Amino acid sequence: MRIEDGNRLQSAATRLLWLCALVVLPGIASCGSVVSGEGGQATAAGQSAPLPPRTIRLTANADVDERELVSLGIPFAPGELADASQVSIVDANGAEVPAFVKPTLYWHWLDGSIRSVKVQFFADPGRTYAFRFDSDRTKSIPEEPYDRGTRPGKMDAPVPRVIATLDPQWLVHSRVAGPQLVHDGKRPYDRYIDRQWRWASDVPYEGQHAFLFDRASVVGLQYVRNGRPEHFAEFYNAATFYLSKIKTTGRGGGWPDCTGGWEFDGANPCDTKYAYMTPQLLLVALAGDDTRIDADTVRHMVANQVKGGWSGPLGPYIGADQSWTERHTGLALEHLVSAWELTGSAAVRQHIDDLLGWLYAHQQTPPGGDPVTGAWTHSWQAHEGSDYDPASDVRGGSPWMSANIVGGLWRAWLVTEDERIPVMLRDFGRYLDRHGFAPEDLAGRWRSSCNAGGVVGWYFSSGIAPLEQVVAIQENEGYGSDTHNPELLMAIAAARYFDTDPQWRERLERRAEQAARYLNPDCAAVSHTARAFNWQNRNPEFTWLLAQ
């Protein structure tokens, strides 16, 4: 073996050890065993792994009696449950408890099996219960009004009187939030978010900013990973509050009426970047609460996103001075994916396909003579709402806003497996590595004090404009833009997952190591703005992606 080959292998092993330390790979005896091929846990051929714990943990969230209504959602992995009559609740002695059970979500794009059920039963909050799904339920009760088991929480939004939580291993196993890794206090990302939670757990709801980038869903995803009652309580409170502010009266979605948009304390329903269906999807899946919005409201929320408010309707990018941002498009895609998961609507599925086609054409065959760079190249001036002058314009893309497209594409991939998505994620990751970060000799100008030696993503980047133009934008807008490094980790991880070129995978591993230096306690302690917790943690599945 040549010396350079040995060095390359040693370098790859070092990076793999670092990735192991970052994500703490499940089922591996040690990080060293990942590189050596030794250790780990194997399942014998023909044997199925045991199911994760099916415990239902109850936590009093009010002054409670010995008999309280408990409502929850129980998610199931694809193919795991075909008949809700097989689900039963048992007490600590294994005795069946009378319960109401009905399906709420299906894996309609896979095998049609049940994805989640709504469960209600009366329980002693001081006891432990569990669920089974291996035989017919023999004791049932009628469905109860959901709010019989709630009380007013923050901003008078309802919260459960008794919080019912499931084991995080079960929640991750169910794939209710896509592939995730169970929370592990040894993992740098999980130490980071635990430190963030100390300031983010009780962010005031006043003002609209706490809900930009969807606080409810971000907290719900962390509950899936950690199973903690306090995360479930805040997820539920934020979700019910958010959904209570959806505009439900009017002629329908779209300008100027914008029924289906979000209106609260300065947020206008025609500002579609505040519109999310994911809180409703998670509320049904995790809490079994299917009472907060009706089918008409779902249709209005979809129509408002497609028709557009202030940003105009969704459509193809045609170039030049067209107003277009990655955030608007990426959040719209994720909104539509959640709506399709919830409803199975063929019309919504077509909207997703249309948007994927527009994004693919924009990136792969840019209009108006823009070169192919891997970005969704557009006008900086139009991006900012400034007067367009082609002679002075900077054409490029925002790395951190593009992370919203990455998140939407990843979740669209999970439900469509559209072959265009891996190409887009791979090519944007390569663009990000080449053009998305400030050179080290300049990065110190804009680096956050907590991020010593870490990389800084450009506020707006370009694969074609002179460096001095990108620097000028950074000087005006980009101080502390490394607060978006956690988002960029998702873009890097998704690109690495789909890239089949070994050299590019190595480059992306190096870039992940650099960006992850931001995941330290000092950076976690800085609150920046109420929505920083939301934008940084929209895609915790980056840890799973890096583990593959």
Side-chain angles (χ1 to χ4, degrees):
M1 181 175 63
R2 294 177 303 174
I3 293 176
E4 57 266 33
D5 291 336
N7 290 339
R8 187 178 299 112
L9 286 172
Q10 184 179 22
S11 178
T14 300
R15 285 191 296 278
L16 189 53
L17 278 168
W18 174 84
L19 286 172
C20 179
L22 172 65
V23 301
V24 186
L25 304 183
I28 298 297
S30 69
C31 284
S33 67
V34 177
V35 177
S36 67
E38 300 172 355
Q41 298 175 354
T43 302
Q47 291 183 343
S48 59
L51 287 173
R54 283 155 282 168
T55 306
I56 301 173
R57 176 185 178 188
L58 303 183
T59 304
N61 195 32
D63 292 330
V64 295
D65 298 322
E66 292 183 354
R67 187 175 185 269
E68 292 279 347
L69 176 65
V70 172
S71 299
L72 73 153
I74 301 178
F76 293 87
E80 201 162 48
L81 181 68
D83 185 352
S85 69
Q86 298 285 301
V87 178
S88 59
I89 304 300
V90 296
D91 63 19
N93 297 317
E96 185 175 348
V97 177
F100 170 80
V101 182
K102 76 173 183 182
T104 51
L105 296 173
Y106 293 87
W107 294 100
H108 56 79
W109 62 93
L110 294 177
D111 57 6
S113 60
I114 296 172
R115 189 180 185 192
S116 188
V117 295
K118 176 180 184 176
V119 175
Q120 294 182 306
F121 62 101
F122 289 93
D124 180 344
R127 296 186 177 182
T128 299
Y129 297 82
F131 66 92
R132 300 181 60 172
F133 58 102
D134 55 357
S135 60
D136 287 340
R137 185 174 62 259
T138 63
K139 296 182 179 181
S140 298
I141 61 172
E143 185 173 13
E144 293 283 342
Y146 200 98
D147 278 335
R148 179 176 174 180
T150 67
R151 65 164 178 82
K154 286 193 294 187
M155 302 295 284
D156 289 326
V159 294
R161 290 173 50 81
V162 177
I163 300 169
T165 54
L166 301 178
D167 190 284
Q169 293 184 48
W170 177 269
L171 293 169
V172 169
H173 156 83
S174 76
R175 288 173 50 188
V176 66
Q180 301 283 354
L181 293 184
V182 174
H183 179 282
D184 187 325
K186 298 178 182 178
R187 185 182 298 125
Y189 172 67
D190 289 333
R191 291 199 301 269
Y192 178 85
I193 199 167
D194 284 348
R195 177 61 185 89
Q196 277 190 316
W197 190 242
R198 287 159 58 182
W199 62 261
S201 60
D202 197 30
V203 168
Y205 289 4
E206 291 87 351
Q208 74 271 32
H209 293 307
F211 288 87
L212 181 56
F213 303 101
D214 192 6
R215 175 177 176 82
S217 297
V218 167
V219 180
L221 293 176
Q222 293 304 323
Y223 161 68
V224 168
R225 301 179 62 250
N226 63 38
R228 294 172 180 169
E230 62 270 26
H231 280 78
F232 182 92
E234 177 56 23
F235 149 68
Y236 189 94
N237 203 153
T240 54
F241 172 77
Y242 173 81
L243 292 169
S244 73
K245 302 303 179 182
I246 297 295
K247 182 181 179 182
T248 58
T249 58
R251 297 185 301 276
W255 176 267
D257 185 72
C258 298
T259 301
W262 195 65
E263 53 180 355
F264 170 69
D265 199 12
N268 189 292
C270 293
D271 188 350
T272 57
K273 69 177 180 289
Y274 283 95
Y276 309 97
M277 189 64 68
T278 312
Q280 173 66 7
L281 176 69
L282 292 179
L283 203 63
V284 173
L286 301 175
D289 190 347
D290 55 356
T291 68
R292 300 303 160 189
I293 59 176
D294 56 24
D296 286 340
T297 303
V298 172
R299 285 193 292 270
H300 289 320
M301 291 178 74
V302 170
N304 197 47
Q305 194 67 252
V306 173
K307 295 178 182 178
W310 294 336
S311 302
L314 294 175
Y317 181 71
I318 59 176
D321 62 345
Q322 180 181 350
S323 178
W324 188 91
T325 70
E326 300 95 334
R327 180 167 64 187
H328 175 218
T329 305
L331 295 182
L333 178 57
E334 185 168 325
H335 176 81
L336 293 172
V337 169
S338 293
W340 190 59
E341 291 182 63
L342 188 66
T343 67
S345 163
V348 176
R349 180 65 178 82
Q350 185 60 54
H351 291 317
I352 294 171
D353 191 63
D354 291 341
L355 188 46
L356 291 176
W358 296 330
L359 283 168
Y360 187 79
H362 186 172
Q363 184 196 51
Q364 299 294 315
T365 55
D370 284 334
V372 177
T373 65
W376 291 277
T377 300
H378 59 288
S379 163
W380 161 252
Q381 292 168 342
H383 181 112
E384 291 295 290
S386 304
D387 293 336
Y388 176 69
D389 177 5
S392 60
D393 190 27
V394 179
R395 301 196 68 78
S398 165
W400 62 276
M401 278 199 181
S402 295
N404 291 294
I405 293 181
V406 169
L409 287 174
W410 170 249
R411 289 175 182 168
W413 165 257
L414 294 176
V415 300
T416 69
E417 293 192 355
D418 189 297
E419 62 185 10
R420 296 169 292 188
I421 293 174
V423 176
M424 287 189 275
L425 291 174
R426 178 201 66 194
D427 289 359
F428 177 70
R430 292 182 177 187
Y431 169 87
L432 184 63
D433 183 70
R434 287 180 175 127
H435 307 293
F437 294 93
E440 177 55 32
D441 60 342
L442 298 177
R445 299 190 197 179
W446 312 293
R447 184 185 287 128
S448 299
S449 59
C450 67
N451 186 29
V455 291
V456 177
W458 291 118
Y459 190 84
F460 193 83
S461 62
S462 178
I464 51 179
L467 178 62
E468 56 267 24
Q469 289 185 301
V470 177
V471 169
I473 293 172
Q474 190 78 5
E475 285 289 311
N476 288 328
E477 306 284 351
Y479 286 90
S481 61
D482 50 358
T483 61
H484 293 287
N485 281 9
E487 297 164 272
L488 300 185
L489 271 168
M490 177 61 188
I492 297 164
R496 175 186 170 274
Y497 180 77
F498 286 114
D499 209 316
T500 58
D501 185 307
Q503 292 184 342
W504 265 108
R505 285 178 62 85
E506 288 184 16
R507 285 183 61 162
L508 293 167
E509 286 168 11
R510 287 195 295 269
R511 188 62 78 179
E513 180 184 4
Q514 294 169 346
R517 292 173 190 168
Y518 191 87
L519 302 178
N520 66 72
D522 291 339
C523 289
V526 182
S527 62
H528 303 289
T529 171
R531 63 182 185 267
F533 177 79
N534 305 349
W535 81 50
Q536 290 185 359
N537 298 296
R538 289 178 55 79
N539 292 105
E541 55 266 51
F542 84 84
T543 58
W544 181 89
L545 286 163
L546 287 176
Q548 305 312 303

